[in-house]
Amino acid sequence: MSELVFLAHIPLLQIDSEKIPCADGYLWQMPFETYNGLSLGAFSDHQQKYEETAPVFYCKHVDLDLPMLTAGGAERHGAIEMKMRSDNWDMLDQFGLGFVANFHTFFVDIAWSALSLAAPAATFPSPKLSATFVHSPGDAAFDLGDSRSDTIRVQGDADQEFLFLPEAAGPPLSMVQIERASSLFDKIEEL
């Protein structure tokens, strides 16, 4: 078993603190330094736009045993990246990344629905349109084909544009709205 950190960007969501518990995970205003590390510095020139946008990710730490996860000395050779249309996430299973699609199905989609119901005027776009990361903070690495990395990134239709779009972000959700969303999680999961 290895610890994995799942991170899915919820486009346009704003919160007024760095980390807030939400349902079975937490909402996290990921600092630029962390994002820049996960994206291998590919967006270093966009730090100001990123910080103005203050993107919020739904996060969950999970212990998993995956066939493609190999323990022992993860040397980073770049992130394993996939571009996936938002209506085609089931296809991730064909590439051995079904666990990423399952994270969305069983956690992110439910959290997104709960947040949307708790703040209906906000109308957050689907997280599948933006960026999702799965990171191994320990020494385990993902082996996929000839690639070996501690990070997987799946980019949706909007790629990472929502991470650099401060003019589109609304006001921060209140704690009351986030608590209401957390209380809806079980009901939505049941439905």
Side-chain angles (χ1 to χ4, degrees):
M1 293 281 241
S2 296
E3 180 190 6
L4 298 177
V5 181
F6 287 80
L7 307 137
H9 178 234
I10 301 179
L12 311 185
L13 173 62
Q14 295 290 293
I15 57 177
D16 57 10
S17 62
E18 185 180 336
K19 187 175 177 180
I20 300 174
C22 182
D24 285 348
Y26 58 94
L27 301 174
W28 183 39
Q29 207 177 64
M30 185 189 296
F32 179 78
E33 294 74 26
T34 304
Y35 168 75
N36 200 36
L38 290 173
S39 61
L40 306 173
F43 299 94
S44 296
D45 294 343
H46 302 289
Q47 180 172 356
Q48 182 178 347
K49 283 284 193 192
Y50 181 93
E51 289 176 347
E52 289 172 7
T53 305
V56 176
F57 288 76
Y58 178 77
C59 303
K60 186 157 180 68
H61 292 251
V62 180
D63 287 325
L64 281 180
D65 187 18
L66 298 170
M68 69 178 315
L69 199 58
T70 308
E75 280 189 44
R76 185 176 200 147
H77 297 295
I80 296 171
E81 300 176 352
M82 299 274 311
K83 177 82 170 160
M84 190 60 54
R85 286 191 357 219
S86 59
D87 63 348
N88 209 16
W89 273 59
D90 292 341
M91 198 171 159
L92 285 171
D93 200 35
Q94 295 175 14
F95 300 106
L97 300 174
F99 61 95
V100 181
N102 288 341
F103 167 60
H104 271 265
T105 299
F106 297 111
F107 298 103
V108 179
D109 291 350
I110 295 170
W112 171 61
S113 297
L115 288 162
S116 297
L117 287 170
T123 58
F124 307 114
S126 169
K128 288 179 181 169
L129 294 170
S130 194
T132 297
F133 296 91
V134 182
H135 179 68
S136 171
D139 71 343
F142 298 101
D143 287 313
L144 186 64
D146 293 337
S147 300
R148 181 177 175 81
S149 178
D150 62 357
T151 303
I152 293 172
R153 180 173 68 219
V154 179
Q155 298 171 177
D157 301 300
D159 211 87
Q160 299 191 54
E161 298 300 319
F162 282 122
L163 299 169
F164 308 100
L165 200 58
E167 57 274 10
L173 254 58
S174 70
M175 281 306 295
V176 170
Q177 291 169 309
I178 293 169
E179 288 168 0
R180 187 178 318 136
S182 291
S183 73
L184 295 170
F185 197 91
D186 289 340
K187 263 300 180 219
I188 293 170
E189 185 176 36
E190 183 181 322
L191 291 171

